[in-house]
Structures are given as structure tokens and as C-alpha cells.
Amino acid sequence: FVNQRAEGLGIHLDEARAQKLQAHIRRLRPTQEQIAASVDAIGARPVRAQLELVNACADVMLADGKAHAEELVLLRQIQTELVDE
């Protein structure tokens, strides 16, 4: 996704730059505590903001041009836990 997005913005990532970017992104992975706090914060937001988040998740899911079954299940779970409650 990152490579596609960069190319869409006119940024060429050669192999070395792509590897550096992937290493940087790996270091940014949140902890379970950070994820839990984020979910709690999102749950406290207005429904409209929650819907915007679900839409953003769908955009990320479709970034590779494919809707994988596991991703669809997770997206539905997110929507159910946030918006449908």
C-alpha cells in the first residue's frame, strides 16, 4: 500500500528507500495497550466520526485492489463494535 500511495503522489521508492520505509513503519507498530486506548477513545467519539473511521478502514482494506475474506470479517467486526452498538 505504501508503495502504491507513494507512486500516486509522484514519489519513487527504489528498493533501498522502500526497505528503509518498511523498517520505520515496523518500529511504529502500536502496543496492545495503545490499541486498547485508541479503541476506547474512538468509541467515545460521535457516531459520525466512528463512521468516518470505518470508511477509512475500508479504504485501507481496498488499497491493494482486493477484498480478502479475513479483512471483510475484521471490518464488519469493527463496524459492529463501534457503530452498531
Side-chain angles (χ1 to χ4, degrees), residues 37-52:
S38 294
V39 169
D40 290 344
I42 292 164
R45 305 282 300 161
V47 172
R48 183 179 178 111
Q50 293 177 22
L51 286 171
E52 290 173 1

Side-chain angles (χ1 to χ4, degrees), residues 28-69:
L28 297 176
R29 291 201 174 156
T31 64
Q32 286 183 319
E33 293 81 14
Q34 290 170 319
I35 292 170
S38 294
V39 169
D40 290 344
I42 292 164
R45 305 282 300 161
V47 172
R48 183 179 178 111
Q50 293 177 22
L51 286 171
E52 290 173 1
L53 173 76
V54 171
N55 289 335
C57 290
D59 290 344
V60 170
M61 178 189 70
L62 296 172
D64 64 357
K66 300 172 187 168
H68 301 279

